[in-house]
Amino acid sequence: MAETVRNPKQVRSIDKKNRIIEAGYRLFARDGYYSTNTAMIAKEAGVSTGIVYGYFRDKRDILVEVLNLYVNKVFEPIFETFENIQAPVDFDYLLSYAVDDVVRTHRDNSAIHAALHSLTYSDEIVNARFTELENEMTLRVADCLEKGGYRSDDLKEKVHLAMRCIQDYAHEYTYDHHDYLSYPRMKELLVAMLKHIFE
Amino acid sequence: MAETVRNPKQVRSIDKKNRIIEAGYRLFARDGYYSTNTAMIAKEAGVSTGIVYGYFRDKRDILVEVLNLYVNKVFEPIFETFENIQAPVDFDYLLSYAVDDVVRTHRDNSAIHAALHSLTYSDEIVNARFTELENEMTLRVADCLEKGGYRSDDLKEKVHLAMRCIQDYAHEYTYDHHDYLSYPRMKELLVAMLKHIFE
Amino acid sequence: MAETVRNPKQVRSIDKKNRIIEAGYRLFARDGYYSTNTAMIAKEAGVSTGIVYGYFRDKRDILVEVLNLYVNKVFEPIFETFENIQAPVDFDYLLSYAVDDVVRTHRDNSAIHAALHSLTYSDEIVNARFTELENEMTLRVADCLEKGGYRSDDLKEKVHLAMRCIQDYAHEYTYDHHDYLSYPRMKELLVAMLKHIFE
Amino acid sequence: MAETVRNPKQVRSIDKKNRIIEAGYRLFARDGYYSTNTAMIAKEAGVSTGIVYGYFRDKRDILVEVLNLYVNKVFEPIFETFENIQAPVDFDYLLSYAVDDVVRTHRDNSAIHAALHSLTYSDEIVNARFTELENEMTLRVADCLEKGGYRSDDLKEKVHLAMRCIQDYAHEYTYDHHDYLSYPRMKELLVAMLKHIFE
DNA sequence: GATGAATGAGTATTCATTCAT
DNA sequence: TATGAATGAATACTCATTCAT
C-alpha cells in the first residue's frame, strides 16, 4: 500500500519503462485491455513480471501511460494543422481538410482507439484524460483561429461543437459505416453546416 | 454438450427470466459488466445460480437481453416524438425538442448506457445491436419527416447526421460537461446548424 | 434418505424403467459414464428428469441395471456354446471356437464394455457384479465339461484360467492390437497352451 | 492464451514439481482421479493452487506424470529380473519367479494401479502410455531371452502372451480372489502351460 | 405417477500482485 | 534493480438430486 513506484532517472530505466508502455500499447490494441495480462506485457517488453511493478503502481497505471502515448501519437499531428492558419481563415478548406485528417487518423489507429475508448465509461482516469485532452484541443484550436483573425463571442462553443461533430463523423465512418448512406454526401452536409455557424 | 436453453412459456418462468434480466440491468448499471458476477445477478434476482443457466446460455447472453430491455426503455419514447409530426415541419421546434428529449433520456439512463456502450468495442453482438438500432432510428425518422411533407434527396444522410450530432451533444452534456463552456449557447448553435441543412 | 424406489408392476411402468435402462446403455456406450448426465438419459428415454428418481435410487443405480442388461446381451450367447458339448470333448475345436466367439463379442460390444469395465476399479458394485459373473461362467462351463465326460480335480481352476486368458486375448485384440505381433499366431499359441492343461 | 508451462531447471522447482506429482500419486491412489480435485493436490503438496498451473497444463497433465512415476516405480524392478538371465534359460524357475514378482508388485501398488488403469478406457493418453509400456516390456524381455540363448520364430508372440497371462493372473489374485478356487494350483497350471509353449 | 423447473454445492482455471533470492 | 516463482482470491458454469404442481 505504502509502496513507492520508482521514478526512473537513469537512461536504462527510462528505456525499460518505455518498453513496457509500448508493449502495452501493442497488446491493448491487438487484444484489448481485459484480454491482456501483465505477464504478456512483461514478456512482450522483454522484462520480468516483477519489475513491471517497479515502474507502475498497477495494471491500470500502465493503461494511463499507454493513453498518453496514444495522445501524443494521434493528436499532436492534428494540432499542427491548425497552427499554420493564415488570415483570413478559409473555413471551406479548413473544415474539409480537418474532416479528412481526423478520418485518416481514426482509421490508422482504430484498434488502440477502440481499446482505450471502451474504458472511458468504466474508468474514471481514462475518462478524465480524454476530457482533458478535449479541453486542450478546444482551447488550442480556438487560439489558432483568433490568431488567424477570426472573432466570435462563442468561439469556444463553436470550436468544441465542430470538433465533436467531426470526430463523431470519423468514428462512424471508421466503425459503423451503414451501407445505405452516402458518406461523401454526408461529409458535404457536415462541412456546410459547420461553415454556417462559423460565418 | 448439446444442452439447450429453456424457452419459457409458462407465466411463472417468464417472470423469472425477466427478474434475472432486470437484476442484470440494475447490476450492470451500478457496477459495470466486468464487475458483476453471475452469483450476484442470481442473488439480486432472488433465484439460484444454477437456474440462470437454465434461461441463458452464458453471462454474455444475459447482457444481450439487458441490451434489448434498454433499447425498449430508452429509444421507444424518442420514436414516439417523431410519429406525431404535422405538415409543415417546424424544424426550429422539432430540433429543440429532440435535443432536450435526448439529453433527458441520456441523463436518466446514463449508468446503464455507459455500461452497455463500453462493450460496443469488445463485443461484436452489442456493437451490431447498437448499429442496427441506429439504422432503424434513421429510417423511421426519415419516414416521419416525409409523412410530414418534407422532401429531400439526401434525407437519410441529413437525418443520420443530425441524430448523431444530437446524441453526441447529449452524451457530452451528461458525461463530460466542461466548465468553461456555455451549454445553452452550444445548444443554440447545434439547432441552428442542423436547421440550416434541413432548410 | 429413507425414500423408496418404486418397484413397478404395471406394464407401462416396466416399460418406462426399461426405456431408461436402454437409454443409459446407449449413452454410456457412446459417451462413457462420467460424460452422460441424468438429463440426457431422461431425454433419450423420452421421460422427465424427475421420474428417473422414481425408478432408480441414483445415477449409479442406473449403471447397475445397464450392467445387467449388458451381461444378458453379451454373455448368454457364450454360455449357449458350451451347453451343447458332446462327449468326448474336442478341445481343439472348442477352444478355437470359444476364442473366436469371445473376440467377436468383444468387438461388437466394445463401446459399452469399455464404459462399464472402466468403472470396475472405482465402483465396488460394478466390480462385484463382474466378479459374480465370472463365478457363474466358471461354474456353468465346468458343469458343461463334466456333462461332456471330462474329468479333472482342478477343473474349476483350469476353466477359470482358460476363460481369463481367452478374454484377455480378446481384449487385447480389440483394443490394443500391437502392429508388430501376429495375432493369428498368437491365437495358435493360446489354443495350444490351453489344450495342454486340459489334456 | 499462448501461456507456456514452466519447465523447471532449478533444484527447488524440480522439487516442487515432484512434490505435486507425488501428492497426486497418493491422492489418486486413495480417492481415484475423479474424486481428487486440484485444491487437494496443492494442499497435499504444500503449495498454492495457482502454482500447480505453473508446472502443469491442466489436471490431466498431472495424471500423465503420475502415470510416469508409477511406471518407473513398478515396472523397472520387473525388467531387472530378466536382465540377469543366464544361458540356458530355466523356464520353470523364471516363470514361477516372474509370477510371484508380478503378484507382489500388483499387491503393493494395487490402489494406484486401479486408479490409473480405470482411465485407460476414457483417456487416450493413459491408454497410449500403457500400450507403449507393454510394447517396451515385450521387446526388452524378448531381447533378454535371446541373449540367454533362447531361439524361436514366434518369440515376441510368446513373450507377449505370457506377459499378459501372468499379469491377468496377478490382477485376479489381487482384486477378485474367488473363494472356491485354489490359487496355488492355478499358478501351477499357469506356469505349466506357459512352459509348454516355450519348450 | 409424472413433470421439469429449481437448487446450490462443487471445481478447474486465471491473473494481478508479492516476495525470496 | 531485477527476476520469475509463488500466492490465493475470484468466477463461470455443471449436474445430481429435490420438490411444487
Side-chain angles (χ1 to χ4, degrees):
Chain A
M1 282 287 140
E3 279 306 311
T4 63
V5 170
R6 263 182 279 281
N7 207 342
K9 289 194 176 134
Q10 292 172 22
V11 175
R12 239 165 55 103
S13 290
I14 292 176
D15 228 51
K16 196 166 279 196
K17 184 168 188 182
N18 284 335
R19 286 219 311 276
I20 295 169
I21 296 168
E22 273 153 21
Y25 190 95
R26 263 172 273 140
L27 260 23
F28 292 163
R30 199 187 66 195
D31 303 327
Y33 179 73
Y34 288 108
S35 298
T36 300
N37 63 43
T38 52
M40 287 162 74
I41 296 174
K43 196 179 172 191
E44 173 88 10
V47 301
S48 70
T49 61
I51 201 57
V52 170
Y53 288 82
Y55 294 110
F56 302 90
R57 204 188 326 284
D58 53 24
K59 191 185 170 191
R60 234 261 311 261
D61 202 20
I62 303 176
L63 175 68
V64 173
E65 295 286 18
V66 167
L67 181 57
N68 285 332
L69 176 59
Y70 168 70
V71 166
N72 286 337
K73 275 199 184 177
V74 162
F75 287 92
E76 281 308 320
I78 296 177
F79 285 146
E80 287 167 19
T81 304
F82 284 86
E83 259 148 28
N84 303 312
I85 289 174
Q86 305 289 329
V89 182
D90 176 355
F91 280 102
D92 233 342
Y93 166 81
L94 189 64
L95 288 166
S96 180
Y97 183 87
V99 171
D100 292 344
D101 208 30
V102 175
V103 166
R104 194 179 331 109
T105 294
H106 251 82
R107 190 149 41 196
D108 295 349
N109 298 276
S110 66
I112 188 70
H113 179 89
L116 295 174
H117 202 243
S118 78
L119 296 166
T120 291
Y121 299 90
S122 58
D123 193 308
E124 204 53 39
I125 301 251
V126 175
N127 189 38
R129 192 73 190 82
F130 265 102
T131 301
E132 187 187 316
L133 181 70
E134 267 195 344
N135 279 1
E136 202 189 332
M137 283 191 71
T138 300
L139 297 176
R140 271 170 80 170
V141 168
D143 212 43
C144 291
L145 289 179
E146 280 190 331
K147 279 189 187 136
Y150 183 78
R151 293 288 173 276
S152 165
D153 281 350
D154 318 316
L155 182 55
K156 290 190 188 69
E157 282 76 11
K158 286 177 181 170
V159 168
H160 195 80
L161 190 60
M163 252 175 34
R164 298 275 313 203
C165 289
I166 290 173
Q167 272 172 33
D168 190 62
Y169 171 83
H171 187 85
E172 145 128 17
Y173 189 94
T174 310
Y175 297 111
D176 304 338
H177 221 101
H178 303 274
D179 295 336
Y180 62 93
L181 294 174
S182 160
Y183 283 81
R185 181 64 193 126
M186 222 150 91
K187 184 193 159 186
E188 283 172 21
L189 289 165
L190 174 64
V191 170
M193 113 191 158
L194 294 176
K195 198 176 154 199
H196 176 71
I197 60 169
F198 276 103
E199 291 181 344
Chain B
M1 213 141 273
E3 275 310 308
T4 62
V5 170
R6 257 186 281 282
N7 206 345
K9 280 176 188 156
Q10 293 169 21
V11 176
R12 240 169 53 101
S13 289
I14 290 178
D15 230 51
K16 193 159 284 192
K17 183 168 188 182
N18 284 336
R19 282 215 320 270
I20 295 169
I21 295 169
E22 274 153 20
Y25 190 95
R26 265 172 273 140
L27 261 22
F28 291 164
R30 200 186 67 196
D31 304 326
Y33 179 73
Y34 288 108
S35 298
T36 300
N37 64 43
T38 52
M40 287 163 73
I41 296 174
K43 197 180 172 189
E44 173 86 11
V47 300
S48 69
T49 61
I51 199 58
V52 170
Y53 291 84
Y55 294 112
F56 303 89
R57 204 187 325 286
D58 53 24
K59 192 186 167 190
R60 233 267 308 263
D61 202 21
I62 303 176
L63 175 68
V64 173
E65 296 284 19
V66 166
L67 181 56
N68 285 330
L69 176 60
Y70 168 71
V71 166
N72 286 337
K73 274 199 183 176
V74 162
F75 287 92
E76 281 309 319
I78 297 178
F79 285 145
E80 285 167 21
T81 304
F82 284 86
E83 256 146 31
N84 302 312
I85 289 173
Q86 304 289 329
V89 182
D90 177 353
F91 281 103
D92 232 342
Y93 166 81
L94 189 65
L95 287 167
S96 181
Y97 182 87
V99 170
D100 291 344
D101 209 31
V102 174
V103 166
R104 194 180 330 110
T105 293
H106 253 81
R107 189 149 41 196
D108 294 349
N109 297 276
S110 67
I112 188 71
H113 179 88
L116 295 174
H117 201 242
S118 77
L119 295 166
T120 289
Y121 298 91
S122 58
D123 193 307
E124 203 55 38
I125 302 249
V126 175
N127 188 38
R129 192 75 189 81
F130 266 101
T131 301
E132 186 187 315
L133 182 70
E134 266 196 344
N135 278 1
E136 203 189 332
M137 283 191 70
T138 299
L139 298 176
R140 270 169 81 170
V141 169
D143 212 43
C144 291
L145 290 179
E146 279 191 332
K147 279 191 188 135
Y150 182 79
R151 292 287 173 276
S152 166
D153 281 350
D154 318 315
L155 182 55
K156 290 191 190 69
E157 281 77 12
K158 286 177 181 170
V159 168
H160 195 80
L161 190 60
M163 254 175 34
R164 299 274 314 204
C165 290
I166 291 173
Q167 272 173 30
D168 191 62
Y169 170 83
H171 187 85
E172 144 128 18
Y173 189 94
T174 310
Y175 296 110
D176 304 339
H177 222 100
H178 302 275
D179 294 337
Y180 62 95
L181 295 174
S182 160
Y183 283 82
R185 181 65 193 124
M186 221 150 92
K187 185 193 158 186
E188 282 173 22
L189 289 166
L190 174 63
V191 170
M193 111 191 160
L194 294 176
K195 200 177 152 196
H196 177 70
I197 59 170
F198 276 103
E199 290 181 344
Chain C
M1 282 285 141
E3 278 307 309
T4 62
V5 170
R6 264 183 278 280
N7 205 342
K9 289 196 176 131
Q10 292 172 22
V11 175
R12 241 167 54 106
S13 290
I14 291 177
D15 228 52
K16 196 165 279 197
K17 184 168 187 182
N18 285 336
R19 285 217 314 273
I20 295 169
I21 296 169
E22 274 153 19
Y25 190 96
R26 264 171 273 139
L27 260 22
F28 292 164
R30 200 187 66 196
D31 303 327
Y33 179 73
Y34 288 107
S35 298
T36 301
N37 63 42
T38 52
M40 287 162 75
I41 296 174
K43 196 180 172 191
E44 172 88 10
V47 301
S48 69
T49 62
I51 200 58
V52 169
Y53 288 81
Y55 295 111
F56 301 89
R57 203 189 325 285
D58 53 24
K59 190 186 170 190
R60 236 261 311 263
D61 202 21
I62 304 176
L63 174 68
V64 173
E65 296 285 20
V66 166
L67 180 57
N68 286 331
L69 176 59
Y70 167 71
V71 166
N72 286 337
K73 274 200 185 176
V74 162
F75 286 92
E76 281 310 319
I78 297 177
F79 286 146
E80 286 167 20
T81 305
F82 285 86
E83 259 147 28
N84 303 313
I85 289 174
Q86 306 289 329
V89 182
D90 177 353
F91 280 103
D92 232 344
Y93 166 80
L94 188 65
L95 287 167
S96 180
Y97 183 86
V99 170
D100 291 344
D101 208 30
V102 175
V103 165
R104 194 180 328 110
T105 294
H106 251 82
R107 191 150 39 197
D108 294 350
N109 297 277
S110 67
I112 188 72
H113 179 89
L116 295 174
H117 201 243
S118 78
L119 296 166
T120 290
Y121 299 90
S122 58
D123 193 309
E124 203 54 41
I125 301 247
V126 175
N127 188 39
R129 191 74 189 82
F130 264 103
T131 301
E132 189 187 314
L133 181 70
E134 267 195 343
N135 279 1
E136 201 189 333
M137 283 191 72
T138 299
L139 298 175
R140 270 171 81 169
V141 169
D143 212 43
C144 291
L145 290 179
E146 279 189 333
K147 279 189 188 135
Y150 182 78
R151 292 289 172 276
S152 165
D153 282 350
D154 319 316
L155 182 56
K156 291 190 189 68
E157 282 77 11
K158 285 177 181 170
V159 169
H160 195 79
L161 190 60
M163 252 173 36
R164 297 275 315 203
C165 290
I166 290 173
Q167 272 173 31
D168 190 62
Y169 171 83
H171 187 86
E172 145 127 16
Y173 189 94
T174 310
Y175 296 111
D176 305 337
H177 221 100
H178 303 274
D179 294 337
Y180 62 94
L181 295 174
S182 160
Y183 283 81
R185 181 64 193 126
M186 221 150 91
K187 185 194 158 185
E188 283 172 20
L189 289 165
L190 174 64
V191 170
M193 113 191 158
L194 295 176
K195 198 177 153 197
H196 177 71
I197 60 169
F198 277 103
E199 291 182 346
Chain D
M1 213 143 273
E3 275 310 309
T4 61
V5 170
R6 257 186 281 282
N7 207 345
K9 279 172 189 160
Q10 294 167 21
V11 176
R12 241 169 54 100
S13 289
I14 291 178
D15 231 52
K16 194 159 284 194
K17 183 168 188 181
N18 284 336
R19 283 214 320 270
I20 295 170
I21 296 169
E22 274 153 20
Y25 191 95
R26 264 172 273 140
L27 261 21
F28 291 165
R30 199 185 68 196
D31 304 326
Y33 179 74
Y34 288 108
S35 297
T36 301
N37 63 41
T38 53
M40 287 162 74
I41 296 174
K43 197 180 173 190
E44 173 86 9
V47 300
S48 70
T49 63
I51 199 59
V52 169
Y53 290 83
Y55 295 112
F56 302 90
R57 203 187 327 284
D58 54 24
K59 192 185 167 190
R60 233 268 306 266
D61 202 23
I62 303 176
L63 175 69
V64 173
E65 296 284 20
V66 166
L67 181 57
N68 285 332
L69 176 60
Y70 167 71
V71 166
N72 286 336
K73 273 198 184 177
V74 162
F75 287 91
E76 280 310 318
I78 297 178
F79 285 145
E80 286 167 20
T81 304
F82 284 86
E83 257 147 30
N84 301 312
I85 290 174
Q86 305 289 330
V89 182
D90 177 353
F91 280 103
D92 231 343
Y93 166 79
L94 189 64
L95 288 167
S96 180
Y97 183 87
V99 170
D100 290 345
D101 208 32
V102 174
V103 166
R104 193 180 331 109
T105 293
H106 252 81
R107 189 146 43 195
D108 294 349
N109 298 277
S110 67
I112 188 70
H113 179 88
L116 294 174
H117 202 242
S118 77
L119 295 166
T120 290
Y121 300 91
S122 57
D123 192 308
E124 203 54 40
I125 301 249
V126 175
N127 188 38
R129 192 76 191 80
F130 265 102
T131 300
E132 186 187 315
L133 182 70
E134 267 195 344
N135 279 1
E136 202 189 333
M137 283 191 71
T138 299
L139 298 176
R140 270 170 81 170
V141 169
D143 212 42
C144 291
L145 290 179
E146 280 190 332
K147 279 190 187 135
Y150 182 78
R151 293 287 173 276
S152 166
D153 281 350
D154 318 317
L155 183 54
K156 290 189 189 70
E157 281 77 12
K158 286 176 180 171
V159 168
H160 196 79
L161 191 60
M163 254 174 33
R164 299 275 311 204
C165 289
I166 291 173
Q167 272 173 30
D168 190 62
Y169 171 82
H171 188 85
E172 144 128 16
Y173 189 94
T174 309
Y175 296 110
D176 304 339
H177 222 99
H178 302 275
D179 294 336
Y180 62 94
L181 294 174
S182 160
Y183 282 82
R185 181 64 192 123
M186 221 152 92
K187 184 192 158 185
E188 282 172 22
L189 288 166
L190 174 64
V191 170
M193 113 190 160
L194 295 176
K195 200 177 151 195
H196 177 71
I197 59 170
F198 276 103
E199 291 181 344

